[in-house]
Amino acid sequence: MVRRWASKAHCCMTSASTSPLIETASRERRLRDFFLLLMGATAIGNSSVLVRLAETDPAATAFWRMAFALPVFVVWAALERRGTASESLKASLDPRLVWACIAAGLSFAVDMTLSNIALGLTTMTSFIILVHLAPVVVVAVAWVWFRERPSLGIIMALGLAIAGAALLVQSGRVSATPRNAMLGDMASVAAAFGYAGFILATRRARLFGSTGLISLITALSCAVFCLIFSFLMGESPWPPSAYSYLMLAIMGVVCHAFGQGLSAYSMGSLGASVTSIVLVYGVAVTVAGGWLFFGEVPNLLQVAGGVLVLAAVILCRPR
């Protein structure tokens, strides 16, 4: 009975994942992209550790993250163009692609800036729970916009991912509610919508162009917006030390160019809904990084949360 129910859930999830707008791909291609997405989520999950080590202002941190990722995306886009026909760069820049990338860059700039602000105003628990409502937004909008109808498997995975993320932050580090907790919670919700907008705009751009070009335009526009935000917030744009530059460089190359690049690439065959849920796996990587680098030993609730997130990832795996 359980095996029969699981088979039905998997079939539903598979049929939902093959919406008309998702690239036609073989099972092997989708499975490969799924593991690439996991690698990307692992890289992105390390960004929280590097943010703490860099000790740079919020918007400035986001700007340098983009700046160090840009050279990688330039090379990526150039390598992609080598395998294409003699179409000019101007001809390949579909206005719909450009505007989707600019929207993605703005959304990601809003997400990163507000996330760093929210962390200073509310509890870590509230922040993680609220900011990881982004997959809910993505699944709902993807259903309407991209016709990625959520299956039983996707809905179950979504619930497991959010519950797991909530448990993963039960570290007990904050004993009292901060004075500006309400403002921090509002910033967290806004950051969630920002990240959802980034995923959905990237998904839109993938309909009209390749990963390297999309990532390059998105990172460039995001860097411009982050620099503007940093100026308006009165931040110092310069990292305080050479060590901070090193941490920001690793963040840009590993977490963004590698992590977000792989997630954008995988989105072509997996869709926005699956991508957004699997990216929650990054929370487990963040907790593991806190254990390794800052001695923040996870408790039983966090271990249980990690198990739930892994279960969500398994449910999302292509069949």
Side-chain angles (χ1 to χ4, degrees):
M1 177 68 72
V2 173
R3 185 177 300 174
R4 184 183 305 169
W5 174 87
S7 176
K8 289 182 179 179
H10 295 160
C11 289
C12 290
M13 186 174 64
T14 302
S15 62
S17 298
T18 54
S19 88
L21 294 180
I22 296 177
E23 295 175 2
T24 302
S26 64
R27 178 183 179 278
E28 291 74 17
R29 158 78 187 279
R30 287 170 51 77
L31 195 58
R32 182 202 66 187
D33 288 355
F34 179 79
F35 285 109
L36 289 177
L37 177 58
L38 271 180
M39 292 171 62
T42 301
I44 295 170
N46 287 296
S47 61
S48 297
V49 173
L50 293 169
V51 165
R52 295 170 67 178
L53 294 173
E55 298 180 343
T56 309
D57 290 332
T61 297
F63 166 76
W64 286 106
R65 172 174 173 167
M66 297 299 110
F68 282 114
L70 279 172
V72 180
F73 289 140
V74 169
V75 174
W76 190 335
L79 290 175
E80 282 180 341
R81 287 190 57 77
R82 287 180 61 185
T84 61
S86 57
E87 182 184 27
S88 66
L89 177 61
K90 183 178 180 180
S92 65
L93 289 176
D94 189 309
R96 293 169 296 182
L97 179 147
V98 175
W99 284 113
C101 290
I102 292 175
L106 175 59
S107 298
F108 201 53
V110 169
D111 166 57
M112 288 190 293
T113 302
L114 289 180
S115 292
N116 289 324
I117 292 173
L119 281 169
L121 296 176
T122 189
T123 64
M124 178 66 78
T125 300
S126 294
F127 168 75
I128 293 293
I129 293 173
L130 293 173
V131 83
H132 280 91
L133 292 176
V136 178
V137 179
V138 171
V139 170
V141 177
W143 185 1
V144 176
W145 196 5
F146 300 116
R147 301 197 295 277
E148 296 177 13
R149 183 178 180 180
S151 64
L152 175 61
I154 291 293
I155 294 173
M156 288 178 60
L158 182 61
L160 288 173
I162 294 175
L167 290 177
L168 276 166
V169 295
Q170 300 301 316
S171 59
R173 285 184 303 219
V174 180
S175 58
T177 302
R179 178 182 300 179
N180 296 318
M182 180 63 71
L183 185 60
D185 291 344
M186 292 172 62
S188 299
V189 172
F193 276 91
Y195 194 58
F198 166 71
I199 293 176
L200 292 165
T202 302
R203 177 70 185 93
R204 170 72 174 171
R206 284 289 281 121
L207 300 175
F208 308 108
S210 59
T211 306
L213 183 60
I214 290 169
S215 300
L216 175 60
I217 300 173
T218 299
L220 183 60
S221 60
C222 184
V224 172
F225 286 123
C226 287
L227 194 60
I228 294 173
F229 291 164
S230 180
F231 175 77
L232 293 176
M233 294 165 62
E235 296 180 350
S236 170
W238 305 109
S241 65
Y243 179 77
S244 297
Y245 276 105
L246 176 61
M247 295 300 102
L248 292 168
I250 295 174
M251 190 190 311
V253 174
V254 176
C255 300
H256 196 78
F258 181 75
Q260 295 290 0
L262 286 182
S263 68
Y265 175 81
S266 303
M267 207 177 295
S269 64
L270 299 178
S273 299
V274 171
T275 301
S276 65
I277 293 172
V278 173
L279 286 177
V280 178
Y281 168 71
V283 184
V285 178
T286 299
V287 172
W291 181 13
L292 293 174
F293 292 96
F294 303 107
E296 299 169 355
V297 181
N299 55 35
L300 291 178
L301 282 178
Q302 290 176 301
V303 173
V307 171
L308 290 180
V309 170
L310 288 176
V313 170
I314 292 171
L315 271 177
C316 287
R317 181 170 61 88
R319 297 301 193 278

